[in-house]
Amino acid sequence: MQSDDARYLKRKYKGGSLDVHPTEKALVVQYEVEATILGEMGDPMLGERKECQKIIRLKSLNSNTDIASLARKVVEECRLISPSRLPEVEQLLFYLQNRKKSAEKKEKKQIKPRDLTPFEGMELDEEANINSIDDYIELLYEDIPEKIRGATLILHLARNPDNLEELLQNETALGALARVLREDWKQSVDLATTIIYVFFCFSSFSQFHGLITHYKIGVLCMSIIEHELKRYDLWQDELLKKKKADILSKEYEKALKKYHGLLTKQEQLLRVALYLLLNLSEDTRTELKMRNKNIVHLLVKTLDRDSEELLVLVVSFLKKLSIFLENKNDMVRNTLICFYPKRRCSSGYLKYAESVSVHSWLVCVCVSGDEAQRQIAMCILYHISMDDRFKSMFAYTDCIPQVMKMLFDCGEERIDAELISFCINLAANKRNAQIMCEGNGLKMLMKRALKLKDPLMMKMIRNISQHDGPSKNLFIDYVGDLAAQIGLKEEEEFVIECLGTLSNLTIPDLDWELVLKEYNLVPYLKDHLKPAQQEDDEFVCQIVYVFYQMVFHQATRDVIIKETQAPAYLIDLMHDKNAEIRKVCDNTLDIIAEYDVEWGKKIQSEKFRWHNSQWLEMVENRQMDEAEPFMYGDDGEPFLQNGDILERPDLFYSSDGIIPVDGAISPEFFTDFQNGDLLGPHGFPSSSLTDGYGQTGVTPARPATAYGFRPDEPFYYGYTTSR
């Protein structure tokens, strides 16, 4: 604007906040500039506001500085600070003067780009000078060698944080660097590395991240990384071809030497580019953009390197990303490439490894890897199989047939704990169990388990037997073999698994009466329910569960009720300290009570007695105390004799309890209650009666009938009743 037009432009400065610089000895003044264009008559026509910042550096500030004098000087020279804020300026200067140097150095150590060590090609035979920046920019318009030299000189300047502010103001230099990187990065890895390093120096400070975003350096870095990783694969394939040809060993050695040289330069480029992206990911919005461009895949592929510095950087980046669930899931899907070094495999195997899931690939490592790799891979598979969400994934790969082959290849040798544990977990999934039974799978498993008396193998079989469908019907051929093990003096752990397998066989065509009689199982089961042998909760729970299955069928139910004392033992176990045993006992006794009146009364009475044990104990054990005056009538004679309290309606509970005070309910109410006539469904008192007694810890209510519930239904043990 010409000088004679200046009267039509009006600027207004408005002071804002005042604070100290986070790392330097300086004050930061925030202010607002309002520019208004005035018309010929002085009326405003167009206006604009802009927020600005001014840094007042205090190089002379030290421990001996006179704070008051310095504060006055700052206020006098800076028109943006009002004289009324002099006390505030003094306070900030005093803080700067006493700020601990150790903290300042620590802050610089964390953010300075010195953490990225210099690399080959950065050496110079001259010292870079900030005053010669224009000369360095001119070099960026020359051929590749001159461009590298110019970029390296600027890099030496950028490595000093004190020069970053001045470089920031030089848009020509930064624009030229960004242009050269965008146009020539494929022509020279040294040039690309040097220019990215310059922007990395800016990325070490959060306030410069906007600059890097402006020139789109982050997006360019991801493209460069992706291209270099593809180039790395091509190098390896070419090297492998030369090795296989093996026409001249010297030619291969020459190619190998060249490969290592290229690899070193490439890893320097990858390291500086990834470090820059790591700094930019400080902003979660920028990190999300990186994820959308598949940053996790690039990082995981880079894990196949030997450079310790590069690996530490990549793992640190992955660690930062892993706090978000989406990134963690990406890592799971892309993890297979990092487990087995590519250069040890054929290219055909590599293509296979990249096309299958991590599950199958890990099994391949178990089959073809060395001993150390096999053990690590199997441990990883075991941990994956512990999560129910991932068990089903194995059914859609070729993992299970290979794992079954590994089992059978063991012969009579001891199976590794990791392998059999993995198989036990897999068998807990229905689809996996069906695949295991295909062909002669179940036959081979049963043959090995029964021959070697292997409890872990039998546990795997037991897991298979719990699933409904075709696989369960296959067990009909092995009921006799399993039942025969129970009568023998085998190891208890093995017998428990056989019992558990039998208890899972809810097959309609199975004649349990014939099985019980032929293998004389009832005496064995009864003996093992004696109190002296109830220390093993799992053993007892499995036996009770067998009874639960048998009471569903009339033939076996009649034998249990009429010819054994099993219901009595179940009543004893009804209050066992183990919650699972109590649940199975309660459900079994409910079914028995429905089909046998005599046992039904005993079970109902026992449940009522236990449910109201505290109240009954209080009534039965309460002794007359002559010191209590309310125990005597007006004539001085005791009236609480032989249940006479039932003749005193005025002593009944109020409307909040059982009986109203007016005696509207007859005394026979109590007799009926004790006889069980007022009990709720299945022998439980109604909620109002329970509240009247003030009992707590009530046993959960039962469904109308337990007969329709099957143990393999998901809600079998999960139903609840609101009270």
Side-chain angles (χ1 to χ4, degrees):
M1 182 173 288
Q2 301 297 326
S3 59
D4 56 349
D5 296 330
R7 65 180 180 274
Y8 297 115
L9 180 62
K10 181 180 178 181
R11 287 191 180 92
K12 183 179 179 181
Y13 297 89
K14 183 179 178 181
S17 63
L18 183 63
D19 205 347
V20 298
H21 194 280
T23 59
E24 300 181 29
K25 289 183 179 181
L27 295 177
V28 180
V29 184
Q30 305 288 347
Y31 65 97
E32 187 179 84
V33 179
E34 182 178 353
T36 306
I37 298 177
L38 303 177
E40 294 182 0
M41 303 301 295
D43 54 322
M45 297 179 60
L46 183 64
E48 183 180 359
R49 290 184 179 182
K50 183 178 181 181
E51 293 184 354
C52 302
Q53 173 181 290
K54 181 177 179 62
I55 298 177
I56 305 174
R57 289 183 170 81
L58 307 164
K59 296 183 179 180
S60 61
L61 179 64
N62 55 51
S63 58
N64 300 321
T65 302
D66 184 351
I67 296 298
S69 300
L70 182 59
R72 287 193 298 270
K73 184 178 180 181
V74 170
V75 173
E76 290 172 0
E77 295 184 358
C78 184
R79 292 180 296 174
L80 298 173
I81 303 176
S82 171
S84 62
R85 305 183 71 175
L86 180 61
E88 183 181 354
V89 175
E90 289 185 6
Q91 185 178 2
L92 294 175
L93 292 177
F94 179 78
Y95 171 78
L96 284 173
Q97 187 181 44
N98 293 278
R99 184 160 62 179
K100 292 182 179 180
K101 293 182 179 180
S102 58
E104 185 177 351
K105 288 182 179 178
K106 183 177 180 181
E107 180 71 13
K108 282 189 176 182
K109 184 176 180 181
Q110 289 177 345
I111 61 177
K112 266 192 174 183
R114 267 186 239 164
D115 293 341
L116 193 59
T117 56
F119 51 85
E120 183 181 353
M122 284 182 58
E123 302 84 2
L124 283 174
D125 54 1
E126 61 181 298
E127 184 177 351
N129 191 322
I130 191 67
N131 297 321
S132 303
I133 185 67
D134 292 338
D135 296 334
Y136 306 155
I137 296 173
E138 290 295 329
L139 292 173
L140 297 177
Y141 293 90
E142 303 294 335
D143 293 334
I144 294 298
E146 285 75 17
K147 289 179 179 178
I148 294 175
R149 181 166 173 267
T152 304
L153 287 164
I154 297 176
L155 173 58
H156 276 255
L157 295 175
R159 280 177 55 81
N160 183 354
D162 294 335
N163 295 326
L164 291 179
E165 285 280 0
E166 189 164 345
L167 287 173
L168 180 65
Q169 305 301 325
N170 196 324
E171 295 184 4
T172 304
L174 298 177
L177 287 169
R179 178 188 58 79
V180 172
L181 178 63
R182 187 165 47 253
E183 295 176 356
D184 298 331
W185 67 266
K186 289 184 179 180
Q187 299 186 40
S188 171
V189 66
D190 289 333
L191 179 62
T193 304
T194 304
I195 296 178
I196 294 176
Y197 205 149
V198 173
F199 286 102
F200 163 77
C201 295
F202 284 97
S203 74
S204 298
F205 299 89
S206 301
Q207 60 265 39
F208 299 139
H209 286 184
L211 163 76
I212 301 171
T213 303
H214 172 72
Y215 289 108
K216 300 182 179 180
I217 301 301
V219 177
L220 188 54
C221 280
M222 291 198 65
S223 299
I224 292 173
I225 293 171
E226 185 176 10
H227 178 83
E228 291 299 325
L229 292 177
K230 291 179 179 178
R231 182 184 289 180
Y232 171 74
D233 292 338
L234 293 175
W235 290 346
Q236 285 198 312
D237 288 341
E238 186 66 25
L239 191 64
L240 190 61
K241 289 178 182 178
K242 289 183 178 295
K243 184 177 181 180
K244 284 184 175 180
D246 199 24
I247 300 173
L248 294 173
S249 59
K250 291 183 178 180
E251 183 178 346
Y252 170 72
E253 291 177 0
K254 182 180 179 180
L256 183 62
K257 185 177 180 180
K258 181 181 179 181
Y259 165 77
H260 285 302
L262 294 172
L263 191 62
T264 301
K265 288 183 176 293
Q266 187 189 66
E267 290 180 345
Q268 290 170 351
L269 173 59
L270 291 175
R271 186 165 175 245
V272 69
L274 288 172
Y275 214 146
L276 182 144
L277 293 175
L278 176 59
N279 288 343
L280 294 181
S281 67
E282 176 184 298
D283 185 347
T284 53
R285 292 171 300 180
T286 304
E287 182 178 306
L288 179 60
K289 293 178 181 178
M290 294 181 190
R291 178 187 178 269
N292 292 337
K293 292 184 177 295
N294 214 3
I295 183 65
V296 174
H297 175 71
L298 300 180
L299 289 170
V300 172
K301 284 196 71 174
T302 313
L303 287 172
D304 189 28
R305 302 299 180 104
D306 293 328
S307 172
E308 184 176 348
E309 292 180 336
L310 178 60
L311 290 175
V312 170
L313 173 62
V314 172
V315 172
S316 300
F317 206 156
L318 287 171
K319 179 182 177 182
K320 181 185 183 301
L321 294 171
S322 65
I323 64 174
F324 291 102
L325 178 64
E326 297 83 359
N327 294 334
K328 185 268 292 181
N329 293 337
D330 286 347
M331 292 177 199
V332 172
R333 286 190 290 267
N334 289 279
T335 302
L336 69 117
I337 201 167
C338 71
F339 287 110
Y340 203 77
K342 285 185 177 179
R343 56 186 169 277
R344 299 184 187 175
C345 309
S346 65
S347 58
Y349 184 77
L350 283 175
K351 293 177 182 177
Y352 170 75
E354 291 177 347
S355 64
V356 297
S357 71
V358 63
H359 308 73
S360 293
W361 194 87
L362 285 169
V363 174
C364 289
V365 175
C366 294
V367 174
S368 60
D370 57 36
E371 184 62 32
Q373 291 169 339
R374 282 201 299 269
Q375 186 175 7
I376 293 173
M378 187 56 68
C379 288
I380 295 173
L381 286 169
Y382 169 73
H383 286 299
I384 295 174
S385 68
M386 290 179 67
D387 194 322
D388 290 337
R389 296 173 300 171
F390 303 132
K391 285 185 175 72
S392 59
M393 294 182 182
F394 290 93
Y396 302 100
T397 69
D398 58 350
C399 291
I400 296 176
Q402 293 192 54
V403 169
M404 294 290 286
K405 183 178 184 302
M406 293 170 65
L407 278 179
F408 300 144
D409 287 345
C410 292
E412 297 186 4
E413 298 179 0
R414 178 179 175 273
I415 302 176
D416 292 339
E418 294 84 4
L419 174 59
I420 189 60
S421 300
F422 174 52
C423 293
I424 291 171
N425 289 348
L426 289 181
N429 177 269
K430 183 176 181 179
R431 179 58 185 147
N432 292 344
Q434 292 173 347
I435 296 175
M436 290 175 175
C437 294
E438 289 178 355
N440 293 324
L442 181 59
K443 179 179 179 181
M444 298 293 291
L445 290 173
M446 290 293 301
K447 182 177 180 181
R448 177 186 171 87
L450 296 174
K451 181 179 180 180
L452 302 179
K453 311 298 181 185
D454 188 341
L456 293 179
M457 182 73 77
M458 186 56 68
K459 184 182 288 290
M460 176 184 173
I461 295 172
R462 174 182 164 188
N463 280 356
I464 295 174
S465 68
Q466 69 182 328
H467 306 293
D468 284 336
S471 58
K472 180 169 288 190
N473 294 328
L474 297 176
F475 280 86
I476 292 181
D477 296 336
Y478 306 104
V479 171
D481 296 324
L482 292 169
Q485 307 304 312
I486 298 174
L488 301 176
K489 294 184 178 180
E490 303 292 349
E491 292 185 10
E492 186 175 293
E493 186 178 359
F494 179 72
V495 174
I496 288 175
E497 300 304 333
C498 293
L499 274 173
T501 304
L502 284 174
S503 69
N504 287 333
L505 303 185
T506 53
I507 304 174
D509 297 334
L510 186 57
D511 189 346
W512 277 106
E513 181 182 11
L514 180 62
V515 174
L516 291 172
K517 289 181 178 179
E518 182 174 349
Y519 294 95
N520 198 26
L521 294 182
V522 173
Y524 175 86
L525 298 176
K526 184 175 67 174
D527 291 342
H528 283 75
L529 278 176
K530 292 180 180 179
Q533 300 185 21
Q534 292 181 6
E535 291 82 4
D536 192 327
D537 286 350
E538 184 178 359
F539 196 93
V540 173
C541 188
Q542 292 299 333
I543 293 179
V544 175
Y545 191 67
V546 171
F547 278 114
Y548 172 76
Q549 293 291 345
M550 291 192 293
V551 295
F552 279 110
H553 309 282
Q554 182 178 355
T556 51
R557 182 171 59 245
D558 291 342
V559 173
I560 292 172
I561 294 175
K562 297 177 181 179
E563 300 181 16
T564 73
Q565 289 297 313
Y569 295 127
L570 293 172
I571 290 175
D572 291 339
L573 289 171
M574 190 169 57
H575 313 305
D576 192 88
K577 62 182 181 180
N578 187 293
E580 293 300 323
I581 293 177
R582 293 199 304 270
K583 288 180 183 179
V584 183
C585 282
D586 284 348
N587 285 281
T588 308
L589 290 171
D590 282 347
I591 299 171
I592 293 174
E594 291 180 6
Y595 289 93
D596 189 277
V597 177
E598 184 178 349
W599 275 114
K601 291 181 179 179
K602 293 179 181 179
I603 293 168
Q604 187 182 63
S605 175
E606 173 61 21
K607 288 187 175 182
F608 174 77
R609 187 195 66 78
W610 177 260
H611 185 73
N612 299 279
S613 58
Q614 294 183 2
W615 185 85
L616 291 173
E617 184 179 358
M618 179 189 73
V619 174
E620 293 173 359
N621 298 332
R622 188 167 184 177
Q623 301 296 327
M624 293 176 56
D625 189 348
E626 295 181 357
E628 296 180 354
F630 68 87
M631 300 294 287
Y632 294 84
D634 296 336
D635 56 357
E637 294 296 327
F639 65 81
L640 193 61
Q641 299 281 348
N642 299 324
D644 292 340
I645 189 173
L646 299 181
E647 304 299 328
R648 293 290 304 275
D650 57 310
L651 296 181
F652 291 165
Y653 289 114
S654 67
S655 58
D656 294 332
I658 298 178
I659 304 176
V661 295
D662 58 4
I665 297 180
S666 66
E668 284 77 7
F669 173 86
F670 247 83
T671 305
D672 293 340
F673 178 79
Q674 290 176 331
N675 290 336
D677 295 337
L678 296 178
L679 293 178
H682 302 283
F684 285 96
S686 65
S687 60
S688 60
L689 299 181
T690 306
D691 294 339
Y693 283 104
Q695 298 294 310
T696 59
V698 182
T699 305
R702 300 272 185 263
T705 174
Y707 188 81
F709 284 79
R710 306 300 303 175
D712 48 351
E713 294 184 18
F715 51 82
Y716 174 63
Y717 284 130
Y719 60 82
T720 57
T721 304
S722 58
R723 301 188 64 83

